[in-house]
Amino acid sequence: MPALVTFGRVLFAVLFMYTGATKLFAIQQTADFIASKVAIPALLAPYTSQLETMTGMPMPQLLALGVGGFEILAGLMIAVNFGARFFAILLIFFVIVTTFYFHDFWNQPAPENAKTLIDALKNLSLIGALFMIAGYGRGPRPNEPAYGDV
């Protein structure tokens, strides 16, 4: 059974590694999408302008790079089972935030919101799987049974 859990963990992590890579390969499209959905709060504006000046890139592009890199790193860490609990918890917060900003079915009229609602529900199931990974961490300890009496 632990081999199946490992295989499942790797297959699960592929989703995050793939989506992170697609964000990095299409930085401008990702940055444009982020800019259309996320507004930087006025309280953070002085800090974001300093970052933009320092890097020479607009904030949506910096966010696209950070998000793509984070997804690849988190997926890889879950796949190799190194820091899996930590990265699963980080991904829980990440998926919650992205669901709120990018799958806002409550702001769309009823017939058009069906796809967005399904995407939000898929994200909810991803959060459930991430909770399972966070709950198990690196896996069962040698002195405890892996799956009870299964």
Side-chain angles (χ1 to χ4, degrees):
M1 208 48 127
L4 293 176
V5 173
T6 301
F7 186 63
R9 184 187 302 245
V10 170
L11 290 179
F12 177 78
V14 167
L15 172 72
F16 290 102
M17 292 186 289
Y18 175 77
T19 57
T22 58
K23 285 175 179 69
L24 292 178
F25 285 126
I27 288 290
Q28 194 54 52
Q29 292 88 343
T30 305
D32 292 342
F33 188 58
I34 289 173
S36 72
K37 294 285 191 171
V38 178
I40 304 296
L43 182 65
L44 297 177
Y47 305 109
T48 58
S49 65
Q50 286 178 358
L51 279 173
E52 289 175 345
T53 304
M54 206 167 43
T55 60
M57 291 187 278
M59 191 47 122
Q61 193 170 8
L62 288 171
L63 287 172
L65 285 169
V67 165
F70 169 70
E71 283 187 278
I72 291 172
L73 176 67
L76 186 62
M77 291 296 125
I78 287 174
V80 299
N81 204 16
F82 183 77
R85 177 174 284 161
F86 174 73
F87 283 101
I89 291 169
L90 288 179
L91 278 171
I92 288 169
F93 291 115
F94 173 76
V95 173
I96 288 170
V97 169
T98 56
T99 302
F100 178 77
Y101 281 107
F102 298 102
H103 301 295
D104 54 344
F105 59 89
W106 55 89
N107 288 331
Q108 299 171 359
E112 290 85 29
N113 72 347
K115 182 184 178 325
T116 309
L117 176 61
I118 290 170
D119 289 339
L121 291 172
K122 286 178 187 177
N123 281 2
L124 186 64
S125 64
L126 288 175
I127 291 169
L130 287 165
F131 270 116
M132 287 191 282
I133 291 170
Y136 271 106
R138 289 189 58 86
R141 309 306 180 265
N143 59 351
E144 21 179 288
Y147 301 99
D149 31 274
V150 171

